[in-house]
Amino acid sequence: MKILVAVKQVAALDDDFEIRSDGRGVDPEFLVRDLNEWDDFSLEEAVKIKEASAEPVEVVVVSVGPEEVDESLRKCLAKGADRALRVWEDAVQGSDPIAIARILAAVARREAPDLLFAGVQSSDQSFAATGIATAGLLGWPHAAVVARLNFTPGAKSAVFRRELEGGLLHEVEIQVPAVLTIQAGINTPRYASLRSIKQAAAKPIELLGLGDLQPGASEVGEAGSLSRVRRVYVPEKGRAQLIEGSAAEQAARLAAIIREFTGAPP
């Protein structure tokens, strides 16, 4: 039995930063990178299933990105993943969430897992699209925002609870193989021990290129993406003004401000 966990190395802004010269992103020197928060919960859920199972369960983590992503993959290995895969070549640069989903779907076809976990969203872009798009490309049943999961390895279905609006919980049975996007708070992610960190440093990370998978260069990167970053910028700061006086004076001043901005006659 196998669980494939899609993870992402996300970027957070340093206190001071500069926009790249092309205006489409932040200069990499000003970014702090780490494993996506939601993916940490996905990995923990997979490892918990493995540890509670009477039959062998393999947990495989996969990420799409350049060599620096290996740091996050080794963190996953230290926390209990059995294997790590990284997909990258220059043609993948600039892929949007749907192009990334094409790559993950190809990896899933190659690995044939019983379950594919992904975080609900990434903390840097928050599109919440990649996991569900992957399910659509695979033609697998799927569910988003999973807050509790009951699954016995070898079973043909899993039962989960997901969050709905208004504080409601939705309990559903789903057939496997399936794609589930995992919500933060479903468990308590573990810390990696020093021993497991040292062991993870010696484990190989398998590098896959497009030649190892189905998508061609025209289906990934900017060529295969339907959305593109036009520009990244810091918005102008707004202004605030405290209007004092009686209710009538405040109303008169507010009316004057509105006329000033709309160009209406006094």
Side-chain angles (χ1 to χ4, degrees), residues 3-225:
I3 302 175
L4 183 64
V5 183
V7 301
K8 180 183 180 182
Q9 187 180 68
V10 295
L13 290 177
D14 204 347
D15 292 337
D16 297 312
F17 63 90
E18 295 178 4
I19 304 296
R20 290 191 330 229
S21 58
D22 63 4
R24 297 177 60 189
V26 175
D27 189 319
E29 293 185 3
F30 297 91
L31 295 176
V32 179
R33 301 184 184 277
D34 200 0
L35 180 66
N36 180 43
E37 177 188 0
W38 281 265
D39 298 342
D40 210 2
F41 290 94
S42 297
L43 174 64
E44 178 65 26
E45 197 65 18
V47 174
K48 283 177 59 181
I49 292 172
K50 179 180 76 169
E51 292 176 341
S53 175
E55 66 173 71
V57 176
E58 184 182 31
V59 176
V60 182
V61 289
V62 56
S63 189
V64 179
E67 188 175 359
E68 63 195 27
V69 173
D70 285 355
E71 181 181 352
S72 291
L73 288 174
R74 293 202 183 280
K75 181 180 290 188
C76 294
L77 290 170
K79 290 188 174 188
D82 299 294
R83 290 168 49 220
L85 309 173
R86 180 168 63 86
V87 183
W88 189 251
E89 59 182 66
D90 291 343
V92 178
Q93 183 73 41
S95 295
D96 72 355
I98 307 306
I100 296 294
R102 292 192 185 103
I103 296 172
L104 294 177
V107 173
R109 294 187 190 100
R110 183 180 187 268
E111 291 291 323
D114 297 84
L115 289 170
L116 193 162
F117 290 168
V120 167
Q121 61 185 17
S122 63
S123 58
D124 54 357
Q125 296 185 352
S126 302
F127 285 127
T130 306
I132 300 306
T134 303
L137 292 165
L138 289 169
W140 289 5
H142 63 273
V145 199
V146 173
R148 181 181 296 179
L149 176 63
N150 292 315
F151 175 70
T152 301
K156 296 182 179 179
S157 64
V159 176
F160 64 86
R161 288 183 184 177
R162 58 189 295 266
E163 299 174 352
L164 301 180
E165 294 184 6
L168 294 176
L169 292 174
H170 189 204
E171 187 167 289
V172 181
E173 182 175 4
I174 193 169
Q175 300 298 306
V176 298
V179 177
L180 304 178
T181 64
I182 306 298
Q183 174 67 306
I186 189 174
N187 52 47
T188 302
R190 69 194 66 195
Y191 289 97
S193 67
L194 181 60
R195 180 168 178 263
S196 62
I197 291 172
K198 289 182 177 179
Q199 291 174 336
K203 289 184 178 180
I205 294 175
E206 186 178 354
L207 177 62
L208 301 176
L210 297 181
D212 302 303
L213 305 169
Q214 246 183 1
S218 62
E219 297 179 275
V220 299
E222 292 196 4
S225 299

